[in-house]
Amino acid sequence: MADFFKPAARLDLIPPYLFKAIDDKKAKVKAKGMDIIDLGVGDPDLPTPRFIVDKMMEVVQDPGTHRYPAYSGLNLFRKAVARWYQKRFRVELDPGSEVLTLIGSKEGIAHLPLGINNPEDINLMTTPGYPVYQMGTLFAGGFCHFVPLTRENGFLPDLDDISPLVARDAKAFFFNYPNNPTAAVADKDFFARVVDFCREHQIIAVHDAAYTELAFDGFKPPSFLEAPGARKLGIEFHSLSKTYNMTGWRLGMAVGNREVLAALGKIKSNIDSGAFDAIQLAGIAALDSDQSCVRENCAILQERRDILVGGLQKLGYDVTPPKATFYVWLPVPKGLTSMGFTTHLLEQAGIVTIPGNGLGTPGEGYVRLALTVPKARLEEALARLKKIG
Ligand SMILES: *Cc1c(COP(=O)(O)O)cnc(C)c1O
């Protein structure tokens, strides 16, 4: 590279990559020929349901889908999102102004701060959490104020604990339930309290709802938009990725407050050219289906959860079975750090986990396990844990 080239200063804002040490160790363990059980990645191992793939194969043959998509998304897709929200949450959305198609929700989350933040703005976000809330904020020249999730507060933010000075200056509040990584769930009362808090301090509420469909024991996680007044001051991100095992397809949506969505849409129309129409048409088939594929998916995940959590409890771990998400948030044994336990599991048992502190300081003392491997592999992981004691 020419010796005058230097990456932009904003890249220096990216916090140190805490998983580097883990990646190196993983490579070493692999090189030794050890069989690795990867419980690290939050990426479903199960395939996209057949009827969605079939729909894609059909519509991709139509040259009509090969052209530039509409910026805010195919009308038909936005209508299907509105139907799905109505059926699932009893939330009425105007597909024309209250739904925006995204190229996966990560794309929308990362771009949102460019549409709502000025340099030096503060955004609140719960931590440990999905790193993209922070990255999007930093890239837009803003700062983050982290609201801790701890076992004592049920991994729900203590809104009274947020300093009024910080709340006064904050522009947006990012939160996510069912939660990655803690697997905590929120009820409508909590969402109502967030509405009150955001109204009082004039903050835009930004809820990430990626996991509402992955829930167990008959539990139905609510949408933030079910809270009265929510759409007056907030939006919700959702995604087909986790619900329909479609992470590679890149299809999501933002719904709720029309002014906030218009700001995001304006940024997007100047950066990307929308999601592939064929993918949106396949997405409609997914949203309009009887959702039996989602129930089957959850049954598989629930069985895995029961095997893993039951096995861990038998081994003496103090772990709560998650009500939703495909994560288990495991407190590390006394005397160990997240990183120490992660290393121990990797080197001694070939089990990959995510150290909780890598997702935010209050995650210290935990590791995140993902239920994204078949049950035989979970049983094998438990057998190895038993062996290493
Ligand atoms: C997986 C995930 C997303 C988004 O995924 P997309 O594939 O970009 O839609 C968003 N938020 C959280 C917390 C996630 O875990």
Side-chain angles (χ1 to χ4, degrees):
M1 191 67 223
D3 55 9
F4 57 79
F5 174 72
K6 252 175 99 185
R10 78 172 58 79
L11 295 190
D12 297 334
L13 298 171
I14 302 173
Y17 179 65
L18 284 180
F19 304 133
K20 170 90 173 70
I22 303 290
D23 289 350
D24 292 348
K25 281 188 190 115
K26 187 171 151 186
K28 251 189 221 151
V29 170
K30 241 187 194 156
K32 270 197 228 154
M34 198 162 177
D35 169 48
I36 303 255
I37 302 176
D38 196 338
L39 306 182
V41 285
D43 189 356
D45 59 314
L46 298 164
T48 304
R50 189 71 232 174
F51 73 93
I52 303 172
V53 176
D54 286 343
K55 184 72 189 178
M56 180 69 184
M57 300 214 292
E58 174 201 323
V59 296
V60 78
Q61 320 239 19
D62 173 3
T65 65
H66 299 175
R67 310 187 64 198
Y68 282 122
Y71 283 136
S72 47
L74 211 57
N75 274 328
L76 289 172
F77 179 75
R78 287 183 288 143
K79 281 185 185 155
V81 168
R83 276 196 300 278
W84 185 81
Y85 255 81
Q86 153 61 26
K87 223 164 139 190
R88 171 63 178 84
F89 300 115
R90 303 279 164 238
V91 167
E92 301 282 347
L93 296 169
D94 169 26
S97 61
E98 294 179 319
V99 180
L100 185 63
T101 305
L102 303 173
I103 310 171
S105 62
K106 180 180 185 178
E107 177 267 299
I109 293 167
H111 283 142
L112 177 69
L114 291 175
I116 63 173
N117 285 125
N118 292 312
E120 317 275 298
D121 271 0
I122 295 174
N123 288 340
L124 305 172
M125 54 197 69
T126 56
T127 186
Y130 191 55
V132 185
Y133 318 133
Q134 183 188 4
M135 294 307 146
T137 300
L138 292 174
F139 287 164
F143 295 102
C144 310
H145 178 86
F146 296 107
V147 185
L149 303 181
T150 63
R151 192 174 219 183
E152 292 70 51
N153 59 31
F155 301 108
L156 291 170
D158 184 348
L159 301 173
D160 298 329
D161 208 38
I162 299 170
S163 141
L165 290 176
V166 172
R168 190 195 63 193
D169 287 345
K171 180 65 81 61
F173 178 28
F174 288 86
F175 55 107
N176 155 230
Y177 291 95
N179 183 258
N180 171 12
T182 67
V185 297
D187 59 15
K188 285 185 218 173
D189 281 350
F190 169 74
F191 287 153
R193 288 204 300 281
V194 174
V195 170
D196 289 342
F197 170 80
C198 288
R199 190 189 293 118
E200 181 185 344
H201 299 286
Q202 306 193 347
I203 294 170
I204 300 161
V206 183
H207 184 237
D208 178 353
Y211 293 96
T212 62
E213 303 318 290
L214 302 190
F216 312 125
D217 311 317
F219 175 59
K220 287 267 184 201
S223 158
F224 174 61
L225 294 185
E226 289 178 64
R231 93 178 70 193
K232 276 215 181 101
L233 48 73
I235 65 167
E236 179 160 273
F237 285 103
H238 217 304
S239 169
L240 280 71
S241 286
K242 313 290 163 59
T243 308
Y244 304 106
N245 298 327
M246 288 174 73
T247 48
W249 297 59
R250 313 313 302 132
L251 187 60
M253 58 275 203
V255 298
N257 184 272
R258 59 186 72 195
E259 284 103 315
V260 176
L261 293 184
L264 173 57
K266 196 159 182 180
I267 293 293
K268 279 176 56 56
S269 67
N270 285 284
I271 291 183
D272 63 65
S273 297
F276 184 16
D277 278 348
I279 291 178
Q280 293 189 69
L281 291 168
I284 295 171
L287 293 170
D288 278 344
S289 73
D290 63 9
Q291 309 301 301
S292 56
C293 63
V294 182
R295 287 190 290 277
E296 284 159 25
N297 201 29
C298 288
I300 293 170
L301 291 173
Q302 183 171 322
E303 190 186 16
R304 292 176 179 178
R305 175 201 67 171
D306 292 342
I307 289 168
L308 184 64
V309 172
L312 287 168
Q313 285 172 336
K314 248 189 233 144
L315 293 172
Y317 288 92
D318 171 25
V319 56
T320 322
K323 289 199 182 80
T325 77
F326 47 48
Y327 301 113
V328 173
W329 190 234
L330 178 67
V332 307
K334 286 224 159 47
L336 286 178
T337 60
S338 295
M339 207 53 111
F341 189 51
T342 299
T343 305
H344 178 71
L345 290 178
L346 180 56
E347 290 180 344
Q348 303 304 314
I351 299 170
V352 177
T353 58
I354 297 282
N357 63 313
L359 298 167
T361 311
E364 178 53 69
Y366 293 86
V367 296
R368 191 191 76 182
L369 314 178
L371 299 168
T372 47
V373 300
K375 58 183 183 179
R377 298 296 280 165
L378 294 175
E379 278 156 356
E380 169 67 18
L382 288 165
R384 291 185 196 176
L385 280 175
K386 190 168 178 190
K387 215 162 121 200
I388 64 170

